[in-house]
Amino acid sequence: MQAQVSPQAWHFSWLLLHMDKVPEIQYFGASALHIKISRYWNDIPADQYESLKSQLFTHITRFASGSKIVLTRLCVALASLALSMMPEAWPCAVADMVRMFQAEDSNVDGRARCLALLELLTVLPEEFQTSRLPQYRKGQVRSVLAQECGSVFPLLEQLLQQQDSPGFIKQKVLKCFSSWVQLEIPLMDCENLIQAAFTSLQDPELFDTAVEAVVNAISQPDAQRYVNTLLKLIPPVLGLQEQLRQAVQSGDMETSHGICRIAVALGENHSRALLDQVEHWQSFLALVNMIMFCTGIPGHYPVNETTSSLTLTFWYTLQDDILSFEPDKQAVYQQVYRPVYFQLVDVLLHKAQFPSDEEYGFWSSDEKEQFRIYRVDISDTLMYVYEMLGAELLSSLYDKLGRLLTNTEQPSTWQHTEALLYGFQSIAETIDVNYSDVVPGLIGLIPRISISNVQLADTVMFTIGSLSEWLADHPVMINNVLPLVLQALGNPELSISSVSTLKKICRECKYDLPPYAANIVAVSQEVLMKQIHKTSQCMWLMQALGFLLSALQVEEILKNLHSLITPYIQQLEKLADETPNPSNRLAIIHILGLLSNLFTTLDISHHDDDHESTEVKKLPVQQGPNPVVVVLQQVFQLIQKVLSKWLNDAQVVESVCAIFEKSVKTLLDDFAPMVPQLCEMLGQMYSTIPQVSAIELTRQLVHIFAHEPAHFPPIKALFLLVTSVTLTLFQQGPRDHPDIVDSFMQLLAQALKRKPDLFLCSNLDVKAVFQCGVLSLKFPEAPTVKASCGFFTELLPRCGEIAPVGQVVHENGKALLQAVLEGIGGQASRSLMDHCAEILFALNKHCFSLLSVWIKEAMQQDGFPSARVTPEQKENFSQQILSRERVNKRRVKEMVKEFTLLCRGLHGTEYTADY
């Protein structure tokens, strides 16, 4: 790479192109030429343009019958040269290229010359798309190229129409046309070539390239201006229907895919323009029906067909366009297209059906996953279509399902039932169906479904889950479906669907579940003990039980908690006595996880309820301690015992901390009775082996309890202990613990935010804390540096109100500035510059007189903060930072960005254009 950008590349690249070299070496030469021309154009004196141009032409002619990869690179180099020279230095570049290659040259045969010209003309627009031309030049060159298509298109038409043109030439012509249409050339100028491409679709050898050409021509954004040309394209697209049907019959997936792409390109990109042509409504409707055929193409996706998925976005676009018309016009279109959309629903539900059990058994896991994603796309489409069809869609699905389940003469397949339910669930999951008059009927039908199969059972579960909000408003119906869910809990194959549905019901309907609570808890306990479900589903199940118990009276909660947790506590006691080993480690983490998930959602204060339910169903305020606190106090010693043996294991420590962290977040002030003993335990844990999870929990406690006088002493003691242990860690070498340093900086920032008084404690070494922060700014890990910046952004505004902080900043602030400037100079990631700017902004605001002295001294050091910036640039930056604009945070961030690019040698480069 260094060789290619070096000045010597101008010389050696020609030597490497000698005909006696192997193609790989020649390719390197051609590639170096392209890099020099495209990136270092300004190095070339204007009087050498012509000789460079003629040398390139000579080499392209020479390689016309040589190596294809070298020819392409040389064409790209000449294209780059042309783009830089046109229009001033090379007015008719494209016409010249065509003329040069059409001139007789006895050394190179006509076909090779023709292919070389086509290669050059193909790469020219491609090179334009990726070129580094400035914006104003891009617009200028684009319009010149668009005019020059007059030199290209007639030649392409002639080559396509010549009877004796071989297939490979025609293929190259179609590729060339594909490349040019992306320059936003008026669609009517492309008309003849598009028609020729349609003709080429009959030739199997040219089919793929012709499809690309037609799709690219139709899809260019500018095309919608040429409505007459678009209307002329509908008949040839419709004319492909016979070829499409034959391809489907013979199982030719490539051909059906290609024709579908063309129909969708026309429909999707121009539905608005074509809908507007009211007098041509029938031809557009015919195109819509052709796309419907593609949506419902026979066979199962992705095994027998891959086409139907291409059409889904078209139906969104068409619906958006119809609904965007003014009411009168919309009513007319609704009349025509509502039946089409009802047909679409039938087609989509048919496509969503599972294959027979036997066939599905042969599918690979990859095919099953693709089919799952495809069904999600269908589900999203049905949800969207609901906007057009409204409640009538639900009624239609309900009627079909009812007929299916009550028809005794013709028993239906489970696939058919499953697809209809899936359609219902797709809509109910995201759309409020509370007003719908068919949901009660559906809930009544669900128990009548004979469930013979896992996929159907899954969909029944997810459908019940999607109706959980409706059930909360119609609690009398809960009993119709709850037994099904509880029964499914015992089936490991229905693990995800049954547990997530129970969780939804417990969350949405908790105030109506007390009559069923004993049963739900009993069934859940049984499946938990039998270990039917995987870990994550066990955790969800515990969350479900947390929601359920939240709505009971305190004594009921305690009774249920007792029966639910006792087996686990006994297990944990046994594990706590065993010698640590990998298998009991996993069991301990699992039990601790179950407890923390239960406590995540068990909330008797109803913090998370919305206003409506709290007004209507608010339970009497509970007296006495919170049940979670009661349980935590009972198991506290056991947890300490587990910890004492497993303190070296970060995951066990994390699981213990998670129990308390989740409980604190859920209970908030109700957690207060636990604060003293938890602070003490955390202190012991952290003193023995410092770990991130302990700091995170400390931060949570500081956030919620530090400002309350009653809890300040234990929180203060814990904060000082964590700080002192971490400072010791810094003395021993903190580089191995960037995660601890990161969390520690966040803890300090939280303390300054919630309780700045913590920094007034006589036994807090503010100077050492400050120095650790400066050290952390030099870490290579971006999150750690970001956290350190956050700490200083909170600390500096406290200079005035907290004397120890003011003194430390006064004495050590220069070291902080030095570290920040080093980061800006290139030590820190560019993504952190806004955070560095925040520190400069705070220094400016709170220590301006000191900053003006420090920055001057710092910038006098040679090569600081980077050898790439001149003394003038450093002086300019310092003055900007101290100028009146220092009060504008956005401007300070811009100054820092500008200066960091200078320091890194990136200023003004393409690389940083979007920075």
Side-chain angles (χ1 to χ4, degrees), residues 153 156 173-181 190 193-194 213 217:
F153 284 11
L156 300 183
V173 167
L174 289 166
K175 278 191 176 149
C176 184
F177 172 53
S178 248
S179 179
W180 275 78
V181 290
C190 307
L193 278 167
I194 295 175

Side-chain angles (χ1 to χ4, degrees), residues 201-205 207-208 211 240-248 250-263 290 294 297 306-307 310:
L201 289 168
Q202 303 307 316
D203 180 342
E205 191 190 348
F207 181 82
D208 290 344
V211 167
L240 297 170
Q241 286 181 100
E242 190 45 46
Q243 193 180 351
L244 174 62
R245 285 202 175 84
Q246 284 172 3
V248 169
S250 62
D252 176 357
M253 281 161 70
E254 279 73 25
T255 300
S256 49
H257 197 83
I259 293 174
C260 171
R261 278 186 63 201
I262 292 173
M290 180 178 175
C294 296
I297 208 158
T306 52
T307 300
L310 300 178

